[in-house]
Amino acid sequence: MTPDDVIPWLLDTDPALRWQVQRDLLDAPEGTWQATRARISQEGFGAALLAHQDPVTGMWAGGAFFPAGFFEDPANQDLPGQPWTATTWSLTTLREWGMDAAPLRARGTADRLAEHARWEHDPTLPYWGGESDVCINAMTLANGLWLGADVEPLVSWFLSHQLEEGGWNCEWENGSHRASFHSTLNALRALLLHEQATGGTEATRAARAAGEEYLLERNLTRRRTTGELVGPWVDHFLYPPRHIYSALRALDHLRLADRRDPRMQEAAELVQAAQQSDGTWLQQHSLPGAVWFEVDVPVGEPSPWLTLQGLRVLRWWNDA
């Protein structure tokens, strides 16, 4: 492959990816990319994932965050990673692919989950009320907005669980007072979606700005205390990313938030440095765990998803 082949290669993919190439890289007319986007629920990855939804409960794999019976099976204690097949992960995947929520709304998904789904962490908690984990609640807030569920109490939860330095941490329940790059980015993505859907409030806009500032103060990449890279995952790009932070994901969020800042320069350079001579980005990591089916390539191969994201981010960043 040569750089001239990259766009045709990306267009020869699933509708869930192709419509984003048309909109974000080719500036295609809205009617063109909307027509492709509408096919997500009808064919390919989207249709395949929808087929795994239980028509009675509205759930996937019988569980909210883990498949039904996962913790009752001793063999699961030795797995290298959790399954990615349950309801929250499946909804998040469909939403992030850009699928119109209409087919799920037609199935009464929000109401069915309100009736049948409970959190494994605490089965007394209703599904749309969330639980105690920042990343889980971020996905629940975003998915609820998408499906039309009442998730406004979760917005208040994020405001009350923001840490002093501006970010969030899923380990707050265990006494952590230091923010996490992973938790903070996931919270920010959900708050931005809430703001886009509702206009937000002065408090939610301030919370999002403070969380973004937490990341920017660290150049999206480094520990404030030592200046070292905060973790190997910063420039180890992967798809699907699940809850994992990377410079690429952070830049894509700030692109959507329309927030450009000189402190993003190092993160943009990391993304640029990962581009191969043929114009693609490689799959650099993979999270273990059961999936319904594979949606991207093995480690070491050119990833259509990462290539889309890398090209999109650099196009935005270089368009000064």
Side-chain angles (χ1 to χ4, degrees):
M1 185 168 6
T2 70
D4 290 339
D5 299 323
V6 170
I7 295 300
W9 173 66
L10 290 176
L11 289 172
D12 188 25
T13 55
D14 191 87
L17 191 155
R18 187 163 64 250
W19 79 268
Q20 298 179 68
V21 177
Q22 293 171 332
R23 184 191 64 177
D24 299 336
L25 300 182
L26 296 177
D27 300 320
E30 182 173 353
T32 299
W33 60 259
Q34 287 283 24
T36 304
R37 186 181 187 181
R39 294 166 62 183
I40 296 173
S41 64
Q42 302 167 14
E43 62 184 77
F45 295 156
L49 189 50
L50 281 173
H52 287 286
Q53 185 185 25
D54 186 285
V56 175
T57 66
M59 302 169 75
W60 279 261
F65 198 69
F66 293 89
F70 179 80
F71 293 103
E72 285 70 42
D73 186 348
N76 290 335
Q77 304 307 309
D78 298 323
L79 293 177
Q82 76 169 82
W84 311 105
T85 52
T87 301
T88 300
W89 293 113
S90 297
L91 285 176
T92 299
T93 298
L94 291 168
R95 175 179 53 78
E96 292 188 342
W97 282 342
M99 192 188 86
D100 190 311
L104 290 170
R105 292 190 179 206
R107 298 179 180 189
T109 297
D111 289 340
R112 291 180 189 277
L113 294 178
E115 179 180 358
H116 297 287
R118 292 294 182 271
W119 295 105
E120 292 81 14
H121 175 72
D122 182 350
T124 68
L125 297 174
Y127 185 75
W128 294 119
E131 45 124 293
S132 64
D133 183 276
V134 174
C135 297
I136 292 174
N137 286 353
M139 288 185 276
T140 305
L141 173 57
N143 293 338
L145 289 166
W146 180 52
L147 293 177
D150 179 11
V151 286
E152 279 301 311
L154 271 176
V155 179
S156 299
W157 186 94
F158 278 101
L159 297 180
S160 65
H161 287 79
Q162 189 169 23
L163 301 175
E164 185 175 348
E165 56 187 347
W168 288 261
N169 194 328
C170 294
E171 294 298 319
W172 71 269
E173 197 174 24
N174 297 323
S176 178
H177 297 286
R178 303 296 301 274
S180 154
F181 274 50
H182 306 289
S183 303
T184 298
L185 179 58
N186 287 311
L188 290 173
R189 287 162 59 88
L191 288 173
L192 177 60
L193 289 170
H194 176 264
E195 190 173 321
Q196 292 172 336
T198 69
T201 66
E202 184 176 347
T204 61
R205 290 189 291 271
R208 180 168 69 83
E212 291 170 354
E213 187 63 23
Y214 165 81
L215 295 176
L216 288 167
E217 286 176 349
R218 294 155 177 82
N219 296 328
L220 308 184
T221 58
R222 298 191 176 273
R223 298 183 187 278
R224 192 174 181 184
T225 51
T226 65
E228 298 174 329
L229 279 182
V230 69
W233 28 264
V234 169
D235 59 352
H236 282 51
F237 306 140
L238 74 160
Y239 190 88
R242 309 303 182 188
H243 59 288
I244 299 295
Y245 180 95
S246 72
L248 178 57
R249 286 189 76 214
L251 286 168
D252 211 27
H253 163 78
L254 291 161
R255 176 188 66 87
L256 291 170
D258 195 24
R259 182 168 183 177
R260 185 187 299 273
D261 190 289
R263 292 170 290 179
M264 304 174 192
Q265 180 66 43
E266 182 180 21
E269 290 172 355
L270 291 175
V271 173
Q272 180 69 77
Q275 188 177 25
Q276 304 299 297
S277 60
D278 64 0
T280 67
W281 275 258
L282 301 182
Q283 183 82 276
Q284 294 180 286
H285 184 48
S286 179
L287 296 176
V291 295
W292 289 115
F293 48 86
E294 297 293 343
V295 299
D296 205 6
V297 297
V299 172
E301 295 187 12
S303 162
W305 288 100
L306 294 175
T307 300
L308 161 67
Q309 293 168 11
L311 290 173
R312 179 168 61 192
V313 158
L314 292 180
R315 186 184 194 215
W316 166 74
W317 177 251
N318 293 325
D319 186 21

